[in-house]
Amino acid sequence: MAFVRQEDASTVEEHLSFHQDTYQSGYAQPDGPRVQVSDRKYNGRYPSKDETPKMNDKTRRKVSRLCAAILRRLRYPTRSRLGPVYHLYMQLPEPRMLHLEWHWKDRLLKIMGTPSKRNPEAMLRYFALIRDAKDAGLTIRRSHWNLALAFATKYASHNTSDEVETALRLWKEMERGAGIKGNDVTFNVLFDIAIKVGNFPLGDMIYKEMEARGVQFNRYHHVSVIHYFGLKLDSGGIRAAYRAMVEAGEMVDTVALNCVISGLLRCGEEPAAEETYQRMKNGHAKAAEIPDRNYMTDKVVSRVLMLFAKVGKEHPELQKTLQNNVDLTPNLRTYRLFIDHYSLRVGDLTKVAQYLDEMKYLKVPIHPTIFLGLFKGFYLHGGFAGSAWSEQRLEGVLKALYQAKDEGGQAFLIDRWVAIWALRAIQKCSTGDAVIRAYQDLAARWDIHPEHYEFMESLVEVILTGRDLKSSTGNWTGPAHRRFKKDGSPL
């Protein structure tokens, strides 16, 4: 003991506790700011005009330009892009959110949370705004938090358990961190992602939680329940869920009927699905005169349908009149369901031709995904003598694709998957020379980013040498879900 002079009488356990406890050692993360979610008016109306920080003329001009861009996006959602709006926001000095009055903050979160397409870029932008609002100590509306929840589940083309975990974590942060209970939108997003990844026990748990809390079902949840029974291959459940939707007074539209058709086709009940389609087609003699709908107008239509349902419940005598004003005509999604089903699963080219002809008759605009289903059909069912999926018919489909692109321009985009499956179908039904010619024709028209050109060139070589969709050992070693889409059809 004499060799080392002792400064105090502390013990080893006390020193270990000091280093293990981050609060004692001074290396703990700061506690806050915590997320604040509320729909109360007095919580969300900060900062007001008088409460924003003092700004110089340069900053004031930046704020004015940002507000003008936000207003332009709200008025003309299809004419302005969100990227420039976010760029203007990033030019503000930090803390950026505090330079915006509360109503401009809400409008900014609204437009950034409802892009025309939810992709990773849009998700990161929106999450950055939510983080800025949180760091500035501002209150976030529950609707904005629900948009973040939707982003976490729908930014990817294929959902996995990762998106489910993210959604549950956001839900936990809202309820436990901010003390705000989820509403019908929250639970619909959670239920939807649970069933889409095939986590039916989680979906059942969320459904029971909704019932226990007395959360009222809206039309979105009714459609999700129909989809749930379709994934479970329960045609009786599909019909029961549809009946429950009607009895609840919700307005039935093309989206709901498409979900019914999708489930019936998945269950193998083609006659029942076609019967529903015929009623949709026959219900409106002027279907060809109905204008096209895009993503933004679909949102407006959904809100109108929910308003119709509310009015119908309060005034039952008006419900039939309101339902008669709802669009029930087949749309692109309807025909995609039938064409994909008869192309991939059944291999009935006659049926495919029938629905393509009816698409043309009802003036439903053609879309690249229709060709994607056709090329997969030729790959799966063509390539042998006597097949209806012949080389001559494939050439006709290719000519139609080229014509649609030449006439549609940027409104008709040929992406990688359309080009890839076109080349695969040609290799299956024709010759290597035809693959090379088609590759040259596609390369002159496709909308593929230049950074993927090298990949496309290497893929052509793989297809020509017969190594496409084959592992080096002859056995698939990757995950099973990569071979099939969510509906069970092959990629």
Side-chain angles (χ1 to χ4, degrees):
M1 185 71 71
F3 285 96
V4 179
R5 183 164 55 90
Q6 300 295 315
E7 298 288 343
D8 54 39
S10 59
T11 64
V12 172
E13 287 74 15
E14 290 174 346
H15 282 275
L16 287 175
S17 175
F18 174 81
H19 290 288
Q20 292 171 356
D21 189 336
T22 55
Y23 287 94
Q24 292 186 45
S25 61
Y27 290 101
Q29 293 295 321
D31 184 18
R34 297 184 179 181
V35 62
Q36 301 179 57
V37 182
S38 176
D39 284 336
R40 296 178 179 177
K41 289 185 178 180
Y42 64 84
N43 285 339
R45 295 191 172 184
Y46 176 84
S48 64
K49 184 176 181 179
D50 297 331
E51 293 169 327
T52 55
K54 292 183 179 180
M55 294 177 278
N56 55 33
D57 293 339
K58 184 178 180 181
T59 303
R60 195 174 291 108
R61 285 194 296 269
K62 291 179 180 179
V63 172
S64 298
R65 286 198 297 268
L66 174 60
C67 294
I70 294 172
L71 195 59
R72 186 163 54 251
R73 172 70 183 190
L74 287 171
R75 289 181 176 178
Y76 311 106
T78 59
R79 300 182 190 177
S80 59
R81 296 181 297 113
L82 292 176
V85 178
Y86 185 72
H87 179 69
L88 289 172
Y89 169 77
M90 293 300 293
Q91 292 179 0
L92 299 180
E94 294 187 359
R96 300 183 183 91
M97 277 291 174
L98 291 181
H99 289 81
L100 297 175
E101 296 177 41
W102 65 270
H103 55 275
W104 286 114
K105 175 205 68 175
D106 288 348
R107 291 170 182 173
L108 176 63
L109 290 173
K110 178 181 178 180
I111 65 170
M112 300 302 289
T114 53
S116 57
K117 183 179 181 181
R118 286 192 173 101
N119 53 30
E121 181 183 5
M123 179 194 69
L124 292 175
R125 284 197 303 245
Y126 188 73
F127 278 16
L129 295 178
I130 293 292
R131 185 187 63 243
D132 285 355
K134 175 183 174 182
D135 292 344
L138 299 177
T139 300
I140 302 170
R141 294 185 184 275
R142 182 162 50 182
S143 59
H144 297 151
W145 198 257
N146 284 335
L147 288 174
L149 198 64
F151 260 118
T153 61
K154 298 180 180 180
Y155 74 93
S157 57
H158 298 287
N159 297 124
T160 64
S161 58
D162 293 337
E163 283 78 39
V164 176
E165 292 177 4
T166 302
L168 292 175
R169 186 165 60 250
L170 288 171
W171 180 34
K172 177 181 177 181
E173 186 175 359
M174 181 178 76
E175 296 215 339
R176 295 187 180 179
I180 298 296
K181 297 296 183 182
N183 59 4
D184 54 343
V185 178
T186 310
F187 281 100
N188 184 70
V189 173
L190 294 171
F191 182 82
D192 186 63
I193 183 62
I195 63 175
K196 282 184 177 178
V197 300
N199 193 338
F200 298 117
L202 177 60
D204 295 337
M205 184 192 73
I206 294 171
Y207 187 87
K208 292 177 181 177
E209 184 67 18
M210 288 184 68
E211 290 184 325
R213 295 190 183 189
V215 176
Q216 187 176 5
F217 293 175
N218 58 23
R219 68 181 307 274
Y220 295 109
H221 186 74
H222 282 290
V223 173
S224 294
V225 173
I226 294 172
H227 183 58
Y228 168 83
F229 286 114
L231 293 176
K232 297 284 279 186
L233 303 180
D234 183 357
S235 59
I238 294 171
R239 293 179 173 88
Y242 176 76
R243 184 169 61 251
M245 181 178 182
V246 175
E247 292 174 351
E250 297 292 342
M251 295 293 107
V252 176
D253 68 337
T254 304
V255 174
L257 293 176
N258 281 345
C259 194
V260 172
I261 289 173
S262 174
L264 292 175
L265 290 175
R266 190 176 284 111
C267 294
E269 296 193 15
E270 288 88 354
E274 292 180 1
E275 181 182 358
T276 300
Y277 163 73
Q278 289 296 332
R279 291 177 178 175
M280 293 170 66
K281 189 176 65 172
N282 297 335
H284 289 262
K286 297 182 179 180
E289 300 176 7
I290 296 178
D292 298 338
R293 286 165 51 179
N294 58 31
Y295 178 83
M296 292 301 176
T297 56
D298 280 347
K299 285 187 170 294
V300 175
V301 170
S302 296
R303 288 195 289 268
V304 171
L305 291 177
M306 296 179 73
L307 177 61
F308 276 11
K310 182 178 180 180
V311 173
K313 292 173 184 177
E314 295 176 354
H315 305 280
E317 69 278 4
L318 298 177
Q319 184 171 359
K320 186 175 181 180
T321 303
L322 294 172
Q323 179 64 68
N324 290 336
N325 292 325
V326 176
D327 180 18
L328 294 172
T329 56
N331 59 9
L332 175 64
R333 173 64 178 166
T334 312
Y335 289 104
R336 277 185 59 190
L337 290 170
F338 281 107
I339 291 172
D340 283 353
H341 179 76
Y342 284 111
S343 295
L344 304 180
R345 291 193 168 189
V346 182
D348 189 341
L349 188 58
T350 303
K351 280 287 188 181
V352 173
Q354 172 194 334
Y355 286 106
L356 287 172
D357 186 58
E358 293 182 4
M359 270 187 72
K360 181 179 179 181
Y361 175 75
L362 292 180
K363 297 183 180 179
V364 177
I366 196 70
H367 191 268
T369 53
I370 297 294
F371 289 97
L372 179 62
L374 290 173
F375 291 138
K376 289 183 179 181
F378 277 99
Y379 178 83
L380 292 172
H381 308 293
F384 60 90
S387 172
W389 302 80
S390 63
E391 179 182 359
Q392 292 74 22
R393 290 192 172 99
L394 177 57
E395 290 177 356
V397 173
L398 282 170
K399 290 179 181 178
L401 174 68
Y402 300 153
Q403 181 180 353
K405 176 59 181 176
D406 294 340
E407 295 177 355
Q410 288 300 312
F412 187 92
L413 302 180
I414 299 179
D415 64 4
R416 274 189 299 169
W417 286 112
V418 174
I420 288 171
W421 280 103
L423 296 173
R424 286 171 175 170
I426 296 167
Q427 174 66 14
K428 185 74 176 291
C429 300
S430 188
T431 63
D433 292 337
V435 172
I436 296 175
R437 288 195 302 271
Y439 175 77
Q440 294 171 347
D441 292 336
L442 287 168
R445 295 175 173 87
W446 66 32
D447 301 277
I448 300 175
H449 196 277
E451 68 181 16
H452 297 137
Y453 287 173
E454 184 177 352
F455 166 77
M456 294 300 297
E457 292 175 0
S458 62
L459 180 68
V460 172
E461 181 182 354
V462 170
I463 291 175
L464 291 174
T465 55
R467 294 181 287 119
D468 184 40
L469 296 180
K470 295 179 181 178
S471 68
S472 58
T473 60
N475 297 315
W476 176 261
T477 57
H481 71 273
R482 292 292 181 87
R483 292 180 293 179
F484 301 95
K485 294 197 300 184
K486 288 182 288 186
D487 62 358
S489 58
L491 286 171

